[in-house]
Amino acid sequence: MKLTLTSFGSLILLFTILSGCNGGNGSPEETAAERPNIIFIMSDDHTTQAVGAYGSRLARLNPTPTLDALAKEGALFTNVFCNNSICTPSRGSIMTGQYSQTNGILTLNDTLPVERQHLPREMSKLGYQTAMVGKWHLKAEPAAYDYYHVLESQGKYFDPEFRSSDAGDWPDNFVKYKGHSSDIVTDVTLNWLKTKRKKDQPFFLMHHYKAPHDDFEFAPRYADYLEDTHIPEPDNLYDQNQPDFGSEATRGTNDNLRNRIGTSVSDRHPYRSYTAQYGITETPRDSATSAAYQEYLKRYLRCVKGVDDNLERLFAYLKEEGLWENTVIIYTGDQGFMLGEHDYMDKRWMYDESMRMPFIMHYPKKIKAGTKSELLINNTDFAPTMLTLAGGETPDYMHGRSFANNLDGSEPSDWRTATYYRYWMHLIHHDVPANFGIRTKDYKLIFYYAQPFQESEVGVGSMWWKKESYPVGPTPVAWEFYDLRNDPTEINNRYGDPEYQETILELKKQLQQLREEFDETDQDYPRFQAIIDQYWDA
């Protein structure tokens, strides 16, 4: 056959298209139809205690049958942690594969510009159609996606406003809806799959719910759900059951800050507690605490139920359309959540209930049903893993590491043995002192440096504490250490115990190494560094 210039050009064009579909990776014969679609589903504040598959005290209530079935048919990961338990920073790490000081998202007030929206940009390079639906909460336009339909700011539970790439120019591209946000987010995603998905191209879809973020406004159809059910309580809801919990940083000297640090379920906190918020005045005091806990958990679990039921709708469509077998489905929360443990609400803490993320994967081609993994993962690993599954490689600028080759539950010999954590927003919103630390499978070490930002350190635009009704100042500096093997609920601070001093010294060495390796030191914050130096060996 004689090749003309035209036919030769056509062959070059065909080769280019096929290469684009493979992102320059994978075998040449791999077609778009064979490559997996990827749906990354994330709820806001959905913690492992409220996912039945994790077997917590709430599992017998059967709050998540759809997610439990997904875990049974796929893989359940039990050691997945965020590195900053608050919405915007956690999402920043997922989007960039980087720790906070590198990606620039330290607090709720920070922005992720399009040039740092790495995950969708890398997916596009690999030939994927990209879409973002639901809660975004990273301030800048999600312009790295081919399509977006995102909640305005934090988003409203009822009659929410979205900004849509189909509705004009950011930030005035509003679309308004009537109804509950969990239903609407699912409706928007289903509409995208039905009308905008390109069937000759694999897709990467981020599907994010607002629920179950507080104030837990559930759809009316769930008003009777769990109404006559007693919700199991954590033992450490009550102070008398955890006399050795915490430190001067969280309790004060001689407990003089016990009522000030950490917003509460009980009436312990003077102006933010669920006892007060729900107007509960029962006596004795523990009865009021129990009643507030019951109301809190029922509202929360009704929001969880709405998410689970909507996922049933989404999964049914994927099965009907023949997309189920060739779609990687990932489910997670943007962090954990305190459901009354230690008499705390919300997140931010480095305690496990707050920093542990649910993580379930379903992909029949590579994951056997019933797989369980104890691999120590953090949210910087999510982007590298998804990129690997899409046929790409982990970019050098990402801190995280792909675990795509360990979806069988195996653990590489060179995998991390510890994960780093840092919370910056000292006493903001829920009165949690600033801290950083390290968690291994067996131990946890937390350092409360307990200092707020100053205006010169973050700029006027980040002075969110000026909105607070109380002053934000230093609190006591202290360490906490927990032996997770013998104390999984973290009620005994053993930092001063001679039995653990060698272990603590080793953890401090690892902590320092991680801070240096991932540019998480305080060289840009000399005031913080002075505190760290002063108390490092205390």
Side-chain angles (χ1 to χ4, degrees):
M1 174 181 174
K2 182 178 180 181
L3 285 176
T4 66
L5 182 60
T6 301
S7 61
F8 181 75
S10 298
L11 287 172
I12 292 294
L13 177 61
L14 177 61
F15 178 78
T16 301
I17 291 171
L18 291 174
S19 297
C21 288
N22 281 303
N25 296 278
S27 59
E29 67 274 10
E30 189 177 32
T31 66
E34 293 170 334
R35 301 175 70 213
N37 306 302
I38 300 174
I39 302 180
F40 182 84
I41 305 167
M42 186 160 67
S43 296
D44 195 323
D45 296 340
H46 193 186
T47 185
T48 56
Q49 305 98 280
V51 178
Y54 282 93
S56 77
R57 68 182 186 277
L58 303 178
R60 69 173 178 81
L61 303 176
N62 193 29
T64 53
T66 304
L67 284 173
D68 296 349
L70 191 74
K72 186 176 181 180
E73 296 170 9
L76 182 77
F77 293 79
T78 59
N79 280 321
V80 180
F81 301 95
C82 63
N83 56 60
N84 188 344
S85 184
I86 191 71
C87 298
T88 306
S90 179
R91 293 164 191 270
S93 288
I94 291 168
M95 288 289 295
T96 64
Q98 299 169 334
Y99 289 87
S100 294
Q101 290 200 66
T102 298
N103 65 38
I105 311 295
L106 279 63
T107 72
L108 286 175
N109 200 62
D110 296 313
T111 299
L112 189 69
V114 64
E115 62 269 18
R116 293 207 304 272
Q117 295 169 21
H118 297 313
L119 180 54
R121 291 167 64 92
E122 295 293 342
M123 283 290 183
S124 292
K125 292 178 186 177
L126 294 169
Y128 275 70
Q129 181 186 12
T130 60
M132 167 73 219
V133 176
K135 182 172 177 179
W136 170 240
H137 211 213
L138 288 164
K139 293 186 170 58
E141 181 181 13
Y145 295 88
D146 297 322
Y147 170 83
Y148 67 80
H149 207 91
V150 295
L151 285 163
E152 158 66 1
S153 186
Q154 177 65 250
K156 296 188 298 182
Y157 267 112
F158 287 98
D159 302 338
E161 293 182 322
F162 288 71
R163 286 191 172 107
S164 176
S165 55
D166 282 348
D169 296 329
W170 182 279
D172 300 318
N173 48 345
F174 287 112
V175 181
K176 297 183 179 181
Y177 292 88
K178 291 288 186 181
H180 192 272
S181 68
S182 296
D183 300 334
I184 294 165
V185 166
T186 307
D187 289 343
V188 172
T189 282
L190 288 171
N191 181 65
W192 183 84
L193 287 167
K194 293 173 182 177
T195 67
K196 301 181 187 299
R197 176 175 65 90
K198 298 177 181 178
K199 296 185 179 181
D200 60 347
Q201 190 177 4
F203 65 84
F204 170 63
L205 167 66
M206 299 190 89
H207 172 83
H208 293 185
Y209 292 105
K210 172 184 173 63
H213 191 280
D214 70 2
D215 282 324
F216 320 121
E217 297 176 34
F218 50 86
R221 63 183 180 273
Y222 297 111
D224 294 332
Y225 176 63
L226 299 174
E227 182 64 22
D228 299 321
T229 302
H230 178 79
I231 311 299
E233 300 175 351
D235 289 339
N236 56 10
L237 172 62
Y238 304 97
D239 268 2
Q240 60 265 30
N241 295 337
Q242 49 172 358
D244 298 318
F245 165 68
S247 61
E248 268 195 35
T250 59
R251 304 180 70 102
T253 304
N254 298 320
D255 276 1
N256 69 331
L257 290 177
R258 182 61 181 138
N259 293 344
R260 174 69 174 83
I261 302 297
T263 50
S264 58
V265 176
S266 76
D267 64 358
R268 175 181 55 77
H269 197 278
Y271 57 83
R272 182 155 186 176
S273 72
Y274 282 130
T275 307
Q277 184 172 330
Y278 299 146
I280 295 171
T281 57
E282 294 180 21
T283 56
R285 184 185 182 197
D286 282 357
S287 294
T289 299
S290 180
Y293 171 84
Q294 294 297 316
E295 184 66 22
Y296 170 25
L297 266 290
K298 287 175 182 179
R299 294 187 186 198
Y300 178 88
L301 290 172
R302 287 164 185 160
C303 289
V304 168
K305 178 65 171 170
V307 168
D308 197 73
D309 286 351
N310 271 291
L311 289 178
E312 184 178 22
R313 284 206 295 147
L314 174 59
F315 296 167
Y317 174 80
L318 295 175
K319 292 172 183 176
E320 290 166 5
E321 292 298 304
L323 296 170
W324 186 250
E325 295 295 318
N326 194 42
T327 298
V328 176
I329 298 174
I330 296 172
Y331 181 83
T332 189
D334 56 351
Q335 63 260 320
F337 209 66
M338 307 300 294
L339 297 181
E341 297 86 5
H342 306 297
D343 190 26
Y344 290 144
M345 62 165 92
D346 202 69
K347 53 263 185 181
R348 304 162 194 266
W349 295 102
M350 197 182 160
Y351 305 122
D352 265 17
E353 295 88 356
S354 172
M355 71 178 291
R356 189 194 300 274
M357 308 170 78
F359 199 86
I360 296 168
M361 289 188 70
H362 183 272
Y363 183 33
K365 290 186 176 182
K366 285 195 174 183
I367 301 175
K368 291 183 179 179
T371 297
K372 290 190 176 180
S373 173
E374 296 182 355
L375 195 65
L376 189 58
I377 294 165
N378 71 46
N379 51 351
T380 66
D381 300 324
F382 297 177
T385 300
M386 288 186 277
L387 291 173
T388 301
L389 290 169
E393 297 177 354
T394 302
D396 291 340
Y397 60 77
M398 289 189 177
H399 293 142
R401 178 175 170 183
S402 171
F403 53 92
N405 292 327
N406 304 101
L407 301 182
D408 58 355
S410 62
E411 299 192 22
S413 59
D414 61 347
W415 193 260
R416 73 166 62 85
T417 58
T419 186
Y420 177 73
Y421 181 90
R422 176 76 178 262
Y423 175 72
W424 296 81
M425 297 175 66
H426 181 70
L427 298 190
I428 303 301
H429 302 144
H430 286 275
D431 284 9
V432 178
N435 67 86
F436 61 78
I438 187 173
R439 191 201 192 279
T440 69
K441 285 188 177 181
D442 295 331
Y443 304 108
K444 181 179 293 181
L445 182 67
I446 310 171
F447 180 63
Y448 292 94
Y449 63 94
Q451 300 288 314
F453 279 124
Q454 293 179 347
E455 185 170 330
S456 61
E457 292 167 326
V458 295
V460 176
S462 293
M463 294 292 284
W464 4 253
W465 55 83
K466 289 183 176 179
K467 302 176 184 177
E468 300 293 330
S469 59
Y470 53 89
V472 176
T475 50
V477 177
W479 290 92
E480 293 180 14
F481 168 81
Y482 296 97
D483 179 351
L484 302 174
R485 299 169 303 175
N486 299 307
D487 180 25
T489 58
E490 300 169 285
I491 60 173
N492 296 299
N493 177 13
R494 308 296 292 274
Y495 183 75
D497 190 330
E499 177 185 346
Y500 290 100
Q501 293 313 299
E502 286 189 17
T503 299
I504 289 170
L505 286 175
E506 177 57 33
L507 288 173
K508 285 185 178 181
K509 290 179 184 177
Q510 292 184 53
L511 178 56
Q512 185 60 33
Q513 289 169 357
L514 290 176
R515 281 166 55 80
E516 292 173 357
E517 180 180 356
F518 298 121
D519 296 323
E520 284 287 318
T521 65
D522 283 74
Q523 63 179 2
D524 295 332
Y525 303 97
R527 190 167 54 86
F528 296 168
Q529 188 60 52
I531 296 291
I532 295 166
D533 292 341
Q534 180 181 353
Y535 289 93
W536 190 260
D537 296 321

